[in-house]
């Protein structure tokens, strides 16, 4: 039941707002005027809420002392509406002004979350701090509307006139209401979809980053600039209702998507606007509104009850603005179109080497016909091929069903057994079948673009990528399905092609069958055959491959040069000495310089003698200290590390112990070495390089 209040003097300008959302014969309620409307509006239109004239307040004993008689009239409209006895099956009362715009479907959705049999007071405070400070942070601002459950209305009308007498000195009707309800033991429940809009100026920044909550109401339309460029206030409200009448669940709901190839970020406020940023921005940043507006009351910051972004003239931060133009319903969804209403008049964000979005003239957004769940954030994908139109498709964050995830989890032991004890190909085939069977190929592609890249990227080392990026032709070979890997390889790594396992797709349903196409899972000989087929007799100059035994390493091998292999093995050994969990002991009875020093110092126990000579002489040949010694030098006391690195100065055994690079000093003893060598020969076959060096 809507309880609306208006005035005969303002009705000419505000009538359009009520007409835009009221549904004759569907919505219930009344609009209360101070006096009968002029002949211009007689007879009263049936397309509007039924009209009632408020009772004369002079009958109240407290009338002479009332501070704000207009607001008292507004407040008593709830009582007068109740006294009409037209409340059969009514669950909620919703109050509003004649310049309030309600989104009825969203209102029903929001109120359905509450038990109407209990006492509830639902609304939202003002957007500005000063308005809340002057009145109350605990009240709902009535212009944006608030809802009262019917049991609460029944309790309120019994005390409403008494409450007016008790708080006759209160100026604001909404403040009075909150105090009366507090006396009844009911406090405000906040919902971000109600909007008082205590703002002035251009509201576009606010509407382009609406909170993740169904839009329930607007207020103060006449005090703001028209929300669409080149339109007046009536035209603007009618225009946004074109989209709202098709899908209220998505109206001004924000979705963020990225195009890595051009470094663009799209921010879609469905049914209102689309922003394009020539830089990648996170949703945590874009959910803050651009401060195109001003507060209702001037003052010093902080001004608003939410965080904002300042209007920027930086081309990497300022968006390209596109506003809602039209809406069409198709068989499989809804298409909204957005056009550029004015040029940005800035250079492109060339500092980051990004692509200019100036050529774009319009954007089409495809959304499902199914309603969006109330507070769920939708993601989106962008299709852009260099023309003046970009296509955006809204989607859920995770289209893969929980059923597949549960089956995959339960079958994991079978997959592991097949992979380890039968064949790698069989294990992967089982995994593919369980993961993909019956899922639309489009959904698999969406997950591959939105979810998997961040997991793949975690395993890519910077030095690996730098080498990969310098190659002219970049081909990735994998046993994984191509559909999973290709978006990451092409969009993030800049690769040219992916050789991998191809999954079968039913051409009629466009769903994966769960099986793989011939030749099968790309492992072993099939992988080598795929490389031979791709490159022919000409072998690649550079191969980068993942070492399955070392999860964090990517290896590089230049087939025509073994030097890189030597460097790799040396760094591999240094890394494991630094990170090895078991106790290691080095016995140094001679020269330990450069690479030898990097093998000695990291060990848990380093035993040196009077014959030990240590140095890091790399600087003398124009090279930096090698094999992790820059890490060790930087942790020596004082400036000793810098001195040793730059001069290559030598230290003896006792000096090494003094500075902490050795743990024990013992005099050299020939008999000790003569005992160790036979032990090594007897018990260790093919001793590693460090032990062979000790022998020599």
């Amino acid at each position: 039941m809507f309880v609306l209040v208006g005035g005969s003097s303002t009705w000419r300008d505000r009538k359009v707002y009520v007409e835009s959302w009221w549904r004759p014969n569907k919505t219930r309620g009344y609009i209360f005027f101070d006096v009968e409307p002029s002949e211009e509006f007689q007879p009263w239109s049936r397309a509007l809420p039924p009209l009632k004239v408020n009772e004369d307040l002079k009958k109240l004993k407290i009338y002479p002392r009332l501070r704000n008689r207009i607001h008292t009239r507004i407040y008593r409209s709830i009582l007068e509406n109740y006294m009409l006895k037209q409340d059969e099956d009514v669950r909620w009362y919703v109050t509003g002004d004649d310049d309030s715009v309600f989104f009825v479907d969203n209102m029903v959705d929001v109120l359905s979350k509450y038990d109407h049999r209990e006492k509830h007071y639902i609304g939202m405070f003002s957007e500005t701090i000063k308005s809340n400070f002057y009145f109350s942070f605990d009240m709902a601002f009535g212009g944006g509307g608030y809802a009262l459950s019917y049991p609460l209305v029944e309790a309120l009308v019994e005390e409403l006139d008494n409450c007016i007498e008790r708080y006759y000195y209160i100026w604001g009707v909404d403040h009075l209401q909150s105090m009366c309800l507090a006396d009844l033991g009911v406090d405000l429940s906040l919902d971000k979809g109600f909007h008082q809009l205590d703002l002035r100026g251009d509201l576009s920044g606010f509407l382009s980053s609406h909170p993740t909550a169904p839009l329930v109401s607007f207020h103060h339309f006449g005090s703001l600039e028209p929300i669409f460029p080149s339109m007046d206030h009536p035209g603007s409200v009618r225009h946004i209702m074109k989209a709202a009448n098709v899908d209220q669940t998505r109206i001004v709901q924000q979705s963020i998507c990225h195009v890595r190839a051009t470094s663009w970020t799209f921010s879609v406020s469905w049914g209102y606007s689309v922003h394009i940023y020539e830089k990648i921005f996170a949703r945590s940043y874009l959910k803050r509104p651009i401060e195109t507006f001003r507060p209702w009351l001037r003052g010093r910051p902080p001004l608003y009850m939410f965080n904002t972004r300042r209007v920027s003239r930086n081309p990497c931060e300022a968006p390209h603005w596109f506003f809602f133009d039209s809406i069409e319903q198709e068989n499989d969804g809804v298409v909204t179109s957005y056009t550029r209403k004015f040029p940005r008049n800035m250079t492109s964000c060339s500092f980051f080497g990004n692509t200019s979005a100036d050529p774009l003239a319009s954007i089409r957004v495809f959304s499902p016909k199914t309603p969006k769940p109330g507070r769920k954030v939708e993601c989106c994908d962008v299709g852009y091929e260099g023309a003046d139109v970009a296509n955006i498709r809204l989607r859920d964050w995770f289209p893969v069903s929980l059923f597949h995830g549960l089956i995959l989890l339960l079958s994991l032991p079978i997959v592991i057994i097949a992979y380890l004890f039968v064949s790698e190909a069989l294990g992967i085939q089982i995994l593919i079948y369980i993961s993909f069977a019956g899922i639309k190929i489009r959904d698999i592609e969406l997950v591959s673009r939105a979810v998997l890249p961040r997991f793949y990227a975690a395993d890519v080392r910077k030095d690996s990528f730098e080498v990969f990026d310098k190659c002219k032709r970049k081909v990735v070979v994998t046993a994984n399905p191509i559909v999973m890997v290709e978006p990451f390889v092409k969009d993030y790594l800049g690769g040219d092609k992916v050789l991998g396992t191809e999954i079968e797709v039913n051409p009629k349903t466009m769903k994966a069958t769960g099986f793989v196409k011939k030749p099968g899972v790309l492992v072993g000989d099939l992988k080598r055959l795929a490389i031979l087929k791709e490159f022919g007799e000409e072998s690649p100059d550079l191969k980068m491959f993942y070492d399955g035994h070392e999860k964090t390493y990517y290896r590089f091998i230049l087939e025509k040069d073994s030097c890189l292999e030597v460097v790799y093995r040396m760094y591999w050994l240094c890394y494991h000495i630094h990170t090895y969990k078991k106790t290691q002991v080095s016995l140094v009875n001679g020269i330990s310089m450069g690479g030898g020093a990097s093998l000695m110092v990291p060990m848990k126990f380093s035993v040196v003698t009077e014959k030990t000579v240590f140095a890091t002489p790399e600087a003398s040949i124009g090279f930096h200290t090698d094999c992790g010694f820059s890490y060790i030098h930087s942790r020596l006391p004082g400036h000793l590390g810098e001195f040793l690195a730059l001069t290559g100065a030598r230290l003896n055994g006792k000096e090494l112990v003094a500075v902490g690079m050795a743990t024990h000093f013992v005099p050299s003893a020939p008999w000790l070495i003569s005992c160790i060598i036979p032990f090594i020969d007897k018990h260790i076959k093919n001793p590693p390089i460090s032990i062979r060096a000790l022998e020599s």
Side-chain angles (χ1 to χ4, degrees), residues 51 114 138 309 324 364 473 507 509 558 567 569 670 674 678 690:
L51 174 67
Y114 298 87
D138 297 322
R309 291 178 280 150
F324 170 66
R364 287 161 54 86
R473 186 183 179 195
T509 62
L558 283 170
V567 173
R569 290 183 180 276
S674 64
S690 55

Side-chain angles (χ1 to χ4, degrees), residues 102-114:
F102 290 102
F103 297 84
V104 179
D105 294 340
N106 286 344
M107 177 75 76
V108 172
D109 180 62
V110 168
L111 297 182
S112 67
K113 305 296 190 297
Y114 298 87

Side-chain angles (χ1 to χ4, degrees), residues 570 592-601:
M570 182 65 185
S592 178
M593 296 185 181
S598 66
L599 299 179
M600 174 194 77
V601 176

Side-chain angles (χ1 to χ4, degrees), residues 15-83:
K15 174 185 174 184
V16 63
Y17 302 129
V18 178
E19 287 178 330
S20 68
W21 64 269
W22 184 262
R23 300 173 182 176
N25 302 320
K26 291 184 178 180
T27 43
R28 297 172 62 181
Y30 296 91
I31 185 167
F32 289 83
F33 274 18
D34 50 348
V35 295
E36 287 286 347
S38 63
E39 294 182 0
E40 177 185 356
F41 303 109
Q42 300 290 357
W44 191 256
S45 173
R46 292 187 177 182
L48 294 169
L51 174 67
K52 297 293 179 182
V53 177
N54 285 117
E55 296 177 356
D56 190 353
L57 291 180
K58 293 180 181 179
K59 68 178 185 179
L60 299 178
K61 294 180 181 180
I62 198 68
Y63 177 78
R65 302 177 64 188
L66 291 176
R67 185 178 178 192
N68 191 332
R69 294 167 184 172
I70 295 176
H71 280 208
T72 303
R73 173 186 73 84
I74 292 172
Y75 187 37
R76 291 193 83 252
S77 297
I78 297 174
L79 173 61
E80 294 175 25
N81 192 100
Y82 181 83
M83 297 303 293

Side-chain angles (χ1 to χ4, degrees), residues 632-647:
I632 297 170
H633 274 150
S634 65
R635 283 155 178 79
L636 293 179
H639 296 283
L640 178 61
E642 296 173 60
F643 173 75
L644 294 176
L646 294 173
T647 64

